Amino acid sequence: MPLTCRGRVRGQEPSRGDVDDALGKFSLTLIDSLDTLVVLNKTKEFEDAVRKVLRDVNLDNDVVVSVFETNIRVLGGLLGGHSLAIMLKEKGEYMQWYNDELLQMAKQLGYKLLPAFNTTSGLPYPRINLKFGIRKPEARTGTETDTCTACAGTLILEFAALSRFTGATIFEEYARKALDFLWEKRQRSSNLVGVTINIHTGDWVRKDSGVGAGIDSYYEYLLKAYVLLGDDSFLERFNTHYDAIMRYISQPPLLLDVHIHKPMLNARTWMDALLAFFPGLQVLKGDIRPAIETHEMLYQVIKKHNFLPEAFTTDFRVHWAQHPLRPEFAESTYFLYKATGDPYYLEVGKTLIENLNKYARVPCGFAAMKDVRTGSHEDRMDSFFLAEMFKYLYLLFADKEDIIFDIEDYIFTTEAHLLPLWLSTTNQSISKKNTTSEYTELDDSNFDWTCPNTQILFPNDPLYAQSIREPLKNVVDKSCPRGIIRVREESFRSGAKPPLRARDFMATNPEHLEILKKMGVSLIHLKDGRVQLVQHAIQAASSIDAEDGLRFMQEMIELSSQQQKEQQLPPRAVQIVSHPFFGRVVLTAGPAQFGLDLSKHKETRGFVASSKPYNGCSELTNPEAVMGKIALIQRGQCMFAEKARNIQNAGAIGGIVIDDNEGSSSDTAPLFQMAGDGKDTDDIKIPMLFLFSKEGSIILDAIREYEEVEVLLSDKAKDRDPEMENEEQPSSENDSQSAEQITSSSQEVDLVDQGSPEESSLNSQPESLSPADTDNAASVSPSEQISNPMENHETTSLDGECTDLDNQLQEQSETEEDSNPNVSWGKKVQPIDSILADWNEDIEAFEMMEKDEL
Ligand code: DMJ
């Protein structure tokens, strides 16, 4: 996690869904990058890394992982590490102590994956529990019916290598069986395969077919299995599929998904970034021309957005804007350079490296792009970045003597792990399947050379590659002209003010509001105190402002989700402990992202005092009144952090911010956490909690009635403690009456006191509690919506980015100047039974909240 500078441990971070299936608590990145170290000539570091793997990695974890990802990244990583470890050992300098330990670990992992193949088809289940396998209740997996074609068809290199290294033939057998089944199930008239298949029946679940997501490495492994294992049947299958791909899917320079039954029919109008590996595979096949064409088209898309977006349309507009630093394009660039020797591909590589350094490099690594249009980051650096991207980019520029072994003696797995080609002649105990009877001889004379090089392919024309690229020079720009980014960059250069960044935005700053307006962003104040931001690009003052507005909105959304993901704090409790409440009244409070963390420290107990000024936005004029007490402050007019600092300086031991929106309550409005001010808030040491107006007025009314009111700020309501009753003496004439009334309703109140079992604790974040913030306008609620009503825009102003957005997002922010100051102070004193009715409502809300959490 390169932004927060931490490792991502499964279960310790909010789940990202399927992406997390690659994480098995087995030090994924360490294993996946082992052989990269040797390629980069970091032999000493490799030796250390191998020791770390052997010392620390445990494969027996109760975690459900993806069979595919575990195979390509972990099994492949261990085998690649082993391959280079034995190479180094043989050289006689490094790894002299090595005794096949990585291989033993790989074998252990191989056996852990085998239960996944326990299906009648032989296609593996998509997921397995590393400790409990599959289908046992403890395994929590094994009920899936479908898998992707690449998931079932990308095992043979690693499994065959494992078999051949160890002599245990079972792995290669299982991987071959899965491949045989897929081949049987190909759509017989088109010779294409679908994206997902039922692992029990073999029916195609998704009948669309392309060379990108879901299928990609199935084709790659057929060709590479032929190279590694020398088995003709794999080449025959590959050639049959390749012929179908070139017939139906390849529409140079595009590669477009089609239906397997109606292959002349396009299945979609966009392409995904994973298909960028295909030109590299075409090089291996020897089909250079379409490889050059597709690669060139992809490069132009990259030049437009600095990175390849996860998906882009046939007219090269962004379809999915994120980019997790995928290596496929670098991989194809490497292969094309090796095939053509054209220095153009070195230039391409240089651009890739420059963009990575310029836009993705962060202090703790390289961060994935959340949106290539805005350059916003995601706290994510996938293991393939080191396993593949680094390797391919290094190899692109490396001379033969830069690498301490001969890379030509190895084949790259799909994760760019290195397996030695000598495996083809070792432990060949698996009988080769003879598919020749099923194989229709193809017109394949163009592909006599499967390992092309410039001398053989274009002996008389060193400019061959350029002559293919030339007609495509403007293919992307013609469909989607670039412009706006350059215009923006140029306007910076000419000294224009940089645009407003979401993190700096303050809704109380008139200058910021003016900028917002210019950018076509309007600010709508909602009743519950939140504000909604809406962008209409067409209302912006200029196309550049519209572009800035788009960036601003994207940043705001990112900021919001980052806060929600990273800082989801559970709600807290304010418990009134003084007489006559004795802890029976528990108010639901919003936490703060700064100050004392009540979940880690003992609760804070103290008498309350109102600060002066009540908004706490300047130095307090009544420090003697709040000294040693919990200060009450009204929301609004400045940042929460500023209020906290002011009351802390006056000697307060805690603070309660009370909402200034009359009638607001946690029953009706989502509770939120108070954000900092975007700066370092480590200086704030006291706990701060937020109460909506209704809850806040219970305390304010209690002060009116009893003067001395003591509260407990905590992460969880404490049991009503007899101590609380003993500690406090009646202090008002109304005591006997109120005590009676409290007793009469104590049954309901008691429910709360007893009803907080440990596991219902406020540790998990109920959805209704997640959003928000008030004074820090840079926080956004998750309720943002984005739509792309292209038709709203008459101008071509945003065409340069190929995006037009009409963004809507809701933001919880500081409200404008206070129009209702001190409303709760001006209220008539509420009779105690009405307070009790309120408490009951509060209690119900609290119970409801706990139920939701459970
Ligand atoms: C890698 O893990 C492998 O290359 C896989 O085959 C698909 N792509 C990812 C990286 O994008």
Side-chain angles (χ1 to χ4, degrees), residues 88-161:
L88 286 170
K89 186 175 180 181
E90 209 177 291
K91 277 177 175 277
E93 196 184 339
Y94 292 97
M95 300 299 288
Q96 295 308 300
W97 53 270
Y98 182 70
N99 220 354
D100 290 353
E101 289 89 345
L102 289 176
L103 182 61
Q104 293 318 316
M105 203 174 226
K107 194 170 169 188
Q108 197 197 340
L109 182 60
Y111 279 119
K112 282 189 170 295
L113 296 180
L114 284 188
F117 293 79
N118 191 8
T119 57
T120 43
S121 66
L123 298 179
Y125 279 95
R127 293 184 195 86
I128 194 156
N129 184 307
L130 284 175
K131 192 178 180 75
F132 296 110
I134 233 157
R135 286 169 75 178
K136 295 180 212 131
E138 319 89 278
R140 304 186 305 281
T141 188
T143 52
E144 300 95 333
T145 52
D146 311 332
T147 197
C148 73
T149 302
C151 302
T154 312
L155 297 148
I156 186 71
L157 294 187
E158 292 82 0
F159 273 46

Side-chain angles (χ1 to χ4, degrees), residues 530-709:
R530 295 178 300 160
V531 297
Q532 185 178 50
L533 295 179
V534 182
Q535 193 209 15
H536 294 285
I538 201 163
Q539 289 169 7
S542 71
S543 59
I544 294 180
D545 290 309
E547 171 68 13
D548 287 343
L550 169 68
R551 281 165 204 265
F552 176 83
M553 296 296 277
Q554 293 288 347
E555 279 182 10
M556 202 52 122
I557 292 165
E558 186 188 355
L559 212 60
S560 150
S561 60
Q562 230 175 45
Q563 279 180 350
Q564 281 148 30
K565 261 192 237 136
E566 288 164 19
Q567 308 206 41
Q568 282 188 349
L569 298 171
R572 306 283 188 231
V574 174
Q575 203 167 5
I576 310 183
V577 294
S578 51
H579 170 85
F581 306 92
F582 302 126
R584 293 186 181 101
V585 176
V586 181
L587 307 170
T588 306
Q593 290 170 359
F594 52 85
L596 186 90
D597 182 351
L598 289 164
S599 64
K600 294 199 188 119
H601 297 86
K602 214 174 160 304
E603 62 277 359
T604 297
R605 184 175 176 146
F607 287 93
V608 293
S610 293
S611 56
K612 274 188 192 148
Y614 187 36
N615 64 24
C617 290
S618 54
E619 195 183 329
L620 298 203
T621 54
N622 65 337
E624 68 297 336
V626 300
M627 167 77 83
K629 295 197 176 147
I630 293 173
L632 302 179
I633 331 129
Q634 194 182 38
R635 178 190 186 184
Q637 291 168 5
C638 62
M639 310 291 271
F640 288 126
E642 202 177 328
K643 294 174 194 288
R645 288 192 182 99
N646 286 329
I647 60 165
Q648 180 173 279
N649 291 343
I653 57 166
I656 299 174
V657 178
I658 297 175
D659 196 12
D660 60 340
N661 293 289
E662 194 179 358
S664 70
S665 147
S666 64
D667 311 0
T668 49
L671 199 60
F672 58 82
Q673 47 196 7
M674 296 182 283
D677 53 4
K679 298 178 206 126
D680 190 358
T681 48
D682 285 354
D683 58 316
I684 303 173
K685 307 284 184 214
I686 57 173
M688 293 290 291
L689 293 182
F690 174 86
L691 288 180
F692 278 114
S693 136
K694 201 166 155 204
E695 287 84 353
S697 63
I698 293 174
I699 297 187
L700 297 175
D701 290 343
I703 297 177
R704 285 183 176 281
E705 191 131 4
Y706 305 105
E707 283 170 24
E708 298 275 80
V709 174

Side-chain angles (χ1 to χ4, degrees), residues 251-374:
Q251 301 173 33
L254 312 183
L255 288 159
L256 271 184
D257 289 18
V258 298
H259 293 279
I260 54 174
H261 293 97
K262 292 184 185 151
M264 301 308 277
L265 209 65
N266 286 339
R268 59 175 71 105
T269 54
W270 46 269
M271 291 165 273
D272 62 63
L274 286 161
L275 61 74
F277 91 104
F278 199 67
L281 190 63
Q282 288 180 306
V283 169
L284 198 59
K285 161 75 180 163
D287 201 2
I288 303 289
R289 171 182 279 275
I292 292 172
E293 290 171 337
T294 301
H295 180 276
E296 179 57 22
M297 174 272 290
L298 294 169
Y299 185 44
Q300 288 178 29
V301 178
I302 289 174
K303 281 198 282 191
K304 206 170 243 324
H305 303 290
N306 302 323
F307 298 98
L308 195 60
E310 273 295 74
F312 52 95
T313 60
T314 45
D315 55 355
F316 311 111
R317 288 166 194 273
V318 172
H319 188 64
W320 295 333
Q322 64 273 42
H323 169 73
L325 308 182
R326 288 196 190 279
E328 283 76 4
F329 182 78
E331 172 184 352
S332 285
T333 307
Y334 166 70
F335 280 106
L336 269 169
Y337 180 59
K338 288 287 145 188
T340 63
D342 188 338
Y344 176 78
Y345 296 107
L346 293 180
E347 287 300 320
V348 173
K350 190 169 164 237
T351 308
L352 298 183
I353 292 171
E354 281 170 358
N355 287 346
L356 283 170
N357 281 327
K358 200 161 158 195
Y359 302 108
R361 194 165 191 160
V362 292
C364 291
F366 290 80
M369 307 308 294
K370 191 183 190 98
D371 189 319
V372 296
R373 295 165 302 187
T374 60

Side-chain angles (χ1 to χ4, degrees), residues 518-521 534-543 545-547 550 792-793 795 797-798 803-807:
K518 264 183 82 186
M519 296 192 300
V521 178
V534 182
Q535 193 209 15
H536 294 285
I538 201 163
Q539 289 169 7
S542 71
S543 59
D545 290 309
E547 171 68 13
L550 169 68
N792 286 345
H793 303 277
T795 66
S797 57
L798 290 180
T803 53
D804 285 301
L805 285 190
D806 182 359
N807 290 327

Side-chain angles (χ1 to χ4, degrees), residues 32 68-69 72-73 150 154 213-214 216-218 220-221 273-274 277 310 324-328 331 382-385 387-388 392 413-416:
D32 213 6
F68 165 79
E69 298 289 1
I72 66 167
R73 303 200 205 191
T154 312
D216 47 4
S217 44
Y218 161 64
E220 180 184 358
Y221 269 35
L274 286 161
F277 91 104
E310 273 295 74
L325 308 182
R326 288 196 190 279
E328 283 76 4
E331 172 184 352
D382 289 77
S383 65
F384 50 68
F385 183 70
E388 295 190 69
Y392 284 124
T413 68
T414 191
E415 189 76 358

